[in-house]
Amino acid sequence: MLEKLSPRQEEIVEEVFREYDRAPNNPMSVDMDHVKKTLARIYSFWDMKLPDKIEWFDSPAAALKRATEITGTEQKEPDFCGIADSGWIAFYDFFGRPGVEVLTAEENKDIYLLRDFQRMVWDIVLCDDTALLIRYPEELHRDSNGAAHSATGPCCKWKDGVEDYAWHGVLVDKRVILDPKSYTKDEYLAITNTEERRALGEAAGWDHIVTMLGASKTDGWTDPVTKLSYELWGNGESQWIRKQSPRLKTDTQPYYFEPVHEDLKTAQAARKWQACPELSVAECEKDPVLVYEVEA
Amino acid sequence: MTKIYARQGDLVIRKLDAPHTIHLIKSQDVVVAGHDTSPHVVRGVVLSRQEGREFKLRIVEPTVISHQDRHPDVALVPGDYTLTPLRERGNAEDRAVED
């Protein structure tokens, strides 16, 4: 039994991660023999044979529309066998790698089948007599965590013209990305999905949102060493820190607006709260002094 | 009073008094934050490991963390460091600020 990873195995973890992280933006050429072999294996789990009909689509929306036509009921989601769900494949793949070898090639054969399939086919919608396959998008944009994201346009551009918009993995209306400041206060507060509201706030900029929400300044502090200014803003429910940047390469010092804990009382404590995740609000208020050797 | 080595934008850089105990991996020009939009890069060959929001680093030769777009370089002398993003508040929870 593997109880602790060796240093080399730790490195293999990183190698596997990097390989899987690269994959969504670097699809493999489609090998239909492999695709059919994998599909046949998937259908066999339901004691079914691979259907004669295999249809390709240029976007999930198109495949789901076709699946709705075939089944007569609205199909809203693919079968989650695609590259976006390759995390668990990576897990088992790791345990079969040379240097780890907890799982044999025979034990992992279905894993390897699906791994390569996912790098050729974005995802699938399987009907009883038709297999619907989705091609990779023309463009795919992701953030540092690998989540679908673009601050300037669609995160996914599909070959049939369909465009998806996302902010750090949260699918949003394109207006959030293309014209976030067009939202009114009522529209902003009417968004019931808290992740979408956060996405809009970040896309529009908290400065804009704070003004829109009627927040006002409750406290201010200037660092006596750096002369940078910090302000605490709130509207009775939420709070934000408005802080001046150290001088940038562009010789400017823009302001940033970032949401902070609703129980903070002072701007100086809010500054420390941001930098010290190990400290509570009370600890930051009790001792708000934070000194950096360098602030850039 | 709390003393921290440095901040570069939304990246907090702590220099440790004692070395990291976990295994660190040799890497070159490691992106430690802001990968997709505005990367913070530790130049040269270093030993590093990311665990959740923390980036654990060992500097053997003096180097810098450089930032592509905005922030000046921050010098790193030999030693062990922990890098973390600033935190912010969202949906009654704490999360990392992203560049």
Side-chain angles (χ1 to χ4, degrees):
Chain A
M1 184 191 302
L2 185 63
E3 291 187 347
K4 185 172 167 36
L5 297 182
S6 67
R8 173 60 192 141
Q9 289 168 339
E10 298 272 11
E11 288 177 351
I12 295 171
V13 170
E14 297 293 326
E15 288 168 9
V16 171
F17 166 75
R18 282 194 291 269
E19 178 187 314
Y20 277 77
D21 189 49
R22 270 197 308 270
N25 291 86
N26 295 281
M28 291 166 57
S29 300
V30 174
D31 174 351
M32 277 310 293
D33 287 340
H34 186 89
V35 167
K36 287 180 180 176
K37 184 178 176 183
T38 308
L39 288 173
R41 183 66 177 131
I42 295 172
Y43 273 95
S44 76
F45 292 138
W46 281 269
D47 297 322
M48 297 172 71
K49 289 197 174 162
L50 175 65
D52 293 331
K53 284 188 272 185
I54 298 175
E55 298 179 12
W56 282 94
F57 296 86
D58 286 334
S59 69
L64 291 169
K65 183 181 174 188
R66 177 68 177 131
T68 299
E69 289 168 1
I70 291 172
T71 61
T73 56
E74 189 183 10
Q75 301 299 318
K76 294 182 183 177
E77 293 173 335
D79 288 340
F80 300 113
C81 290
I83 193 69
D85 297 283
S86 58
W88 67 276
I89 300 289
F91 178 80
Y92 288 103
D93 188 348
F94 164 76
F95 285 106
R97 292 281 168 120
V100 183
E101 293 155 4
V102 171
L103 296 171
T104 66
E106 177 62 24
E107 287 171 324
N108 251 359
K109 64 181 181 184
D110 286 339
I111 295 298
Y112 299 145
L113 204 62
L114 190 55
R115 177 190 64 194
D116 291 347
F117 177 86
Q118 288 176 338
R119 294 175 186 181
M120 301 174 193
V121 182
W122 179 260
D123 209 333
I124 55 180
V125 185
L126 300 187
C127 304
D128 288 354
D129 58 2
T130 313
L132 312 181
L133 310 184
I134 303 166
R135 293 189 182 92
Y136 269 69
E138 264 185 341
E139 288 181 28
L140 172 63
H141 301 280
R142 301 154 65 203
D143 64 14
S144 59
N145 292 319
H149 172 81
S150 173
T152 56
C155 63
C156 278
K157 226 173 172 181
W158 304 92
K159 289 187 177 78
D160 59 3
V162 172
E163 293 179 342
D164 295 325
Y165 292 79
W167 184 268
H168 294 298
V170 179
L171 285 176
V172 294
D173 185 272
K174 72 177 183 183
R175 195 170 148 215
V176 171
I177 304 299
L178 299 181
D179 196 6
K181 293 183 179 179
S182 69
Y183 281 79
T184 64
K185 177 182 176 181
D186 286 343
E187 285 178 314
Y188 176 82
L189 293 176
I191 299 171
T192 55
N193 183 302
T194 57
E195 288 296 334
E196 289 176 17
R197 204 163 69 179
R198 173 183 72 85
L200 175 56
E202 290 172 357
W206 290 108
D207 197 353
H208 172 82
I209 298 297
V210 163
T211 302
M212 185 179 68
L213 293 177
S216 58
K217 178 181 160 184
T218 58
D219 188 57
W221 177 76
T222 300
D223 189 319
V225 175
T226 63
K227 311 301 180 195
L228 298 176
S229 69
Y230 298 83
E231 297 172 353
L232 191 62
W233 289 65
N235 67 358
E237 291 176 12
S238 304
Q239 296 197 113
W240 297 265
I241 185 170
R242 181 175 183 265
K243 60 190 187 187
Q244 185 181 21
S245 170
R247 193 163 297 279
L248 304 179
K249 288 178 179 175
T250 52
D251 206 31
T252 59
Q253 289 187 258
Y255 285 84
Y256 294 90
F257 250 102
E258 289 161 355
V260 295
H261 201 288
E262 55 275 13
D263 293 335
L264 286 159
K265 301 276 187 294
T266 65
Q268 190 182 10
R271 169 179 175 265
K272 186 166 182 175
W273 178 86
Q274 280 205 299
C276 300
E278 72 280 10
L279 298 178
S280 67
V281 168
E283 287 167 328
C284 292
E285 286 292 344
K286 188 175 178 185
D287 175 12
V289 181
L290 166 61
V291 176
Y292 292 103
E293 289 185 39
V294 177
E295 276 192 274
Chain B
M1 176 170 70
T2 299
K3 286 186 180 177
I4 295 179
Y5 177 67
R7 172 173 79 90
Q8 185 185 58
D10 291 329
L11 185 67
V12 178
I13 304 163
R14 285 179 168 83
K15 192 171 187 305
L16 305 183
D17 295 328
H20 292 298
T21 55
I22 65 166
H23 176 67
L24 301 174
I25 297 162
K26 199 173 184 182
S27 312
Q28 176 146 11
D29 295 338
V30 179
V31 177
V32 295
H35 295 65
D36 194 48
T37 51
S38 201
H40 299 252
V41 181
V42 180
R43 298 292 175 193
V45 177
V46 299
L47 297 170
S48 69
R49 177 77 172 266
Q50 184 166 10
E51 288 192 332
R53 291 182 188 174
E54 286 190 349
F55 222 102
K56 298 182 191 296
L57 201 61
R58 178 167 297 146
I59 302 299
V60 180
E61 296 285 337
T63 185
V64 296
I65 294 184
S66 66
H67 186 261
Q68 179 179 318
D69 294 334
R70 297 191 291 272
H71 301 283
D73 292 353
V74 172
L76 298 178
V77 298
D80 282 25
Y81 297 78
T82 296
L83 282 55
T84 51
L86 289 176
R87 70 173 155 172
E88 62 177 30
R89 193 74 168 158
N91 296 324
E93 285 182 346
D94 296 347
R95 60 172 188 251
V97 173
E98 286 199 25
D99 252 335

